[in-house]
Amino acid sequence: MYNNCRLRFFSILFVAIASCAACTQKSESIDMIITGKNIYTGNEQPAFSGYIGIDKGNISFISDTLPAHITATQTIDAGDKIIAPGFIDTHTHACNDFGKDSPNTNVNYTTQGVTTVFCNVDGGGSVDVAAKLNQYEQQGIGTNVVLYVGHGSIRKAVMGIEDRAPTDAELEQMKSLVEQAMKAGALGLSTGLYYVPGNYAMTSEVVELAKVAAQYNGAYDSHIRDESSYSIGLVNAIKEVIQIGQQADIPVHVAHIKSLGVDVWGKSAEVIKLIDEARQQGIDVTADQYPWRASGTSVAGSLVPRYIMAGSKEAYHARMEDDALWPTLKLEMAENLRRRGGAESLLISDPKRPDIRGKTLAEVASLWEIEPIDAARQIILEGNARVASFNMSDQDMKAYMTQSWVMTSSDGSTGHPRKYGTFPKKFREYVKQKGWLSTQEFIQRSSYLPAKTFGLTGRGELKAGYVADIVIFNPETYQQKASYLQPTELSEGVEWLIVNGQPVIEQSVVNQTLAGQPIRQSSASR
């Protein structure tokens, strides 16, 4: 009896002490609490119901229960909506829209749920990475931005648009520019080996520049030399990327991976096998992909052989107008058009050409009563035009999209809906409708995978201590509105977007908050 009473006394005492400790625990107020039933952390963890605390730009806690001592200035109840890390677009041309006199809200990306964009892709962009990052910091931007240093821009700055190898002195100049950019915070080196002047570079030149980026733990990103059968062929272009990764000892990334044109449809199996084998051998190879059957380019980019484009614009146009050269050039352009799928496959989408916008090259040729290649020549000499080039097969798209090393990108460009609707299109069509990916896989490859691949420390995952880049979207209404003929319609369904802890979309309404930050990479952060 005595022992039972004694045990009961100490049990009551323990509960009292514990209750007292809870009562005296100091209350804490934070900036925001988000609660919801479908929280995806970004990694392979399934969705769960719980709470996310945000304070001073970072995630202070994430839990299935709300700590009793914590209150918040603002509470968001997401209900059944999806809560996920903000999406990271690894291949954009968004920085073309950032200017001192522009709104810089990057609204076409924020309304997709994107919180971070990569720029200076395809070998382009400013060589002065330090100045650009400082500019974005001073003027403010709507999303975070990461910069590569572009090989094409560097080559142009040192050599102009010359179809030759660099001298030793010129190569040293280019290496110095890469080093300066890496020290300033560039993510790595990007190339556009399909484009001028990158197309004029031998693999050995690219390897030497990639080695400089590798010294600073950078990455190598490439619009590969050939996505079709224009020159070395798709498979050999993939081999070139792998070779660069091996020889420069650098992680390599294939931009907007695809099998472009009828000659290489079905080649995805061989490409995937090559990349998987390279990864097994310790070469870090990844890729991104946009979920559209049409690529975005120009009439000239689709059809004109690269040797014609060397030198000045005047020299380039003179070659296009040379009657002696034209019969040979016309045959080469006709072959390139065949690769693309014919004149019906090129849709003029350029808003600067309202006279022919919305027509295929075949329809333009019929309107002008000339042959398609003659129509292409006229368009180019009049200033060129953007096109949507329908050149991919569903079989290859699915094969690439379902690889664990392929992430989401837009390659957003003027006249193509991918700039305004890539992420919601991928979710609506390839998750909800076709089931190629699960919701978790879509989120993981749009946030966690790019952050881990490119060393974006503290981002891409909902985790205590990480930066609060968060999207809340309605899975029933999240969809793109942009189309090939209405490419600038904003997407719908993102109800909240938090960038560095600040709402830039609130209850589906975009505000003017410039919460983004330039992300400067360093050897330590990668």
Side-chain angles (χ1 to χ4, degrees), residues 34 40 58 250 299 321 388 524:
I34 299 173
Y40 288 86
N58 292 330
I250 191 170
V299 174
E321 293 178 304

Side-chain angles (χ1 to χ4, degrees), residues 380-406:
I380 292 165
L381 292 173
E382 289 174 351
N384 205 7
R386 300 293 302 177
V387 297
S389 172
F390 291 84
N391 52 50
M392 286 173 258
S393 74
D394 275 0
Q395 174 191 350
D396 291 316
M397 288 181 65
K398 182 177 182 180
Y400 291 130
M401 190 180 292
T402 52
Q403 300 308 306
S404 62
W405 38 263
V406 173

Side-chain angles (χ1 to χ4, degrees), residues 509-522:
V509 177
V510 179
N511 61 39
Q512 297 299 308
T513 303
L514 299 177
Q517 298 174 357
I519 299 176
R520 293 175 175 84
Q521 291 293 81
S522 68

Side-chain angles (χ1 to χ4, degrees), residues 6-19:
R6 189 177 181 212
L7 181 61
R8 185 179 177 193
F9 169 77
F10 281 112
S11 297
I12 293 171
L13 181 63
F14 176 78
V15 171
I17 292 172
S19 300

Side-chain angles (χ1 to χ4, degrees), residues 313-330:
K313 180 180 178 180
E314 291 74 20
Y316 158 34
H317 279 204
R319 296 185 194 102
M320 291 292 300
E321 293 178 304
D322 187 337
D323 289 337
L325 179 60
W326 179 240
T328 299
L329 177 55
K330 186 174 181 177

Side-chain angles (χ1 to χ4, degrees), residues 203-482:
T203 306
S204 57
E205 174 187 323
V206 180
V207 168
E208 289 306 305
L209 299 181
K211 284 179 179 178
V212 178
Q215 291 172 8
Y216 295 87
N217 290 334
Y220 172 76
D221 172 270
S222 184
H223 181 131
I224 58 177
R225 197 175 294 273
D226 194 351
E227 296 173 328
S228 184
S229 57
Y230 280 95
S231 56
I232 65 174
L234 169 63
V235 171
N236 284 329
I238 294 293
K239 289 179 179 178
E240 182 182 36
V241 171
I242 294 170
Q243 178 186 345
I244 291 167
Q246 186 175 39
Q247 293 184 359
D249 193 19
I250 191 170
V252 294
H253 187 77
V254 179
H256 42 65
I257 194 167
K258 64 173 75 72
S259 298
L260 187 157
V262 294
D263 289 352
V264 293
W265 284 359
K267 291 284 186 180
S268 55
E270 190 173 352
V271 168
I272 290 165
K273 184 172 183 290
L274 276 171
I275 292 176
D276 281 340
E277 288 174 349
R279 288 168 61 86
Q280 289 166 10
Q281 293 166 11
I283 303 170
D284 190 349
V285 189
T286 53
D288 60 59
Q289 178 196 37
Y290 52 77
W292 303 85
R293 198 171 64 82
S295 62
T297 182
S298 68
V299 174
S302 301
L303 304 180
V304 178
R306 294 307 179 248
Y307 72 89
I308 294 293
M309 296 179 171
S312 66
K313 180 180 178 180
E314 291 74 20
Y316 158 34
H317 279 204
R319 296 185 194 102
M320 291 292 300
E321 293 178 304
D322 187 337
D323 289 337
L325 179 60
W326 179 240
T328 299
L329 177 55
K330 186 174 181 177
L331 288 173
E332 292 180 281
M333 290 176 64
E335 176 62 7
N336 289 340
L337 183 59
R338 181 200 64 77
R339 287 186 175 95
R340 292 261 170 181
E344 296 79 10
S345 72
L346 295 185
L347 176 69
I348 310 298
S349 59
D350 199 325
K352 295 179 182 178
R353 291 302 306 262
D355 56 324
I356 55 175
R357 185 168 178 262
K359 294 180 173 62
T360 65
L361 181 60
E363 290 170 332
V364 173
S366 177
L367 178 68
W368 291 350
E369 298 182 341
I370 55 179
E371 293 181 28
I373 294 301
D374 292 311
R377 182 194 198 190
Q378 183 173 326
I379 291 168
I380 292 165
L381 292 173
E382 289 174 351
N384 205 7
R386 300 293 302 177
V387 297
S389 172
F390 291 84
N391 52 50
M392 286 173 258
S393 74
D394 275 0
Q395 174 191 350
D396 291 316
M397 288 181 65
K398 182 177 182 180
Y400 291 130
M401 190 180 292
T402 52
Q403 300 308 306
S404 62
W405 38 263
V406 173
M407 53 203 77
T408 313
S409 72
S410 67
D411 192 18
S413 58
T414 300
H416 197 296
R418 63 192 183 187
K419 184 174 180 178
Y420 280 72
T422 284
F423 287 77
K425 177 182 173 63
K426 185 172 182 177
F427 179 78
R428 176 65 45 194
E429 183 168 348
Y430 298 107
V431 175
K432 298 285 283 184
Q433 295 174 5
K434 295 186 175 179
W436 290 4
L437 297 174
S438 68
T439 297
Q440 183 274 330
E441 288 171 326
F442 162 73
I443 290 170
Q444 189 260 355
R445 292 169 195 187
S446 302
S447 57
Y448 180 87
L449 180 60
K452 295 303 177 186
T453 297
F454 294 103
L456 303 189
T457 305
R459 297 182 190 269
E461 186 176 3
L462 302 184
K463 186 176 182 180
Y466 275 44
V467 176
D469 289 341
I470 300 173
V471 60
I472 302 174
F473 66 91
N474 185 336
E476 302 306 317
T477 61
Y478 182 54
Q479 59 188 331
Q480 93 281 357
K481 304 296 287 184

Side-chain angles (χ1 to χ4, degrees), residues 123-124 149-156 189-191 193 198 201 205-206 209:
V149 60
H151 162 254
S153 295
I154 286 174
R155 201 176 206 272
K156 192 181 297 183
L189 176 71
S190 83
T191 59
L193 301 183
E205 174 187 323
V206 180
L209 299 181

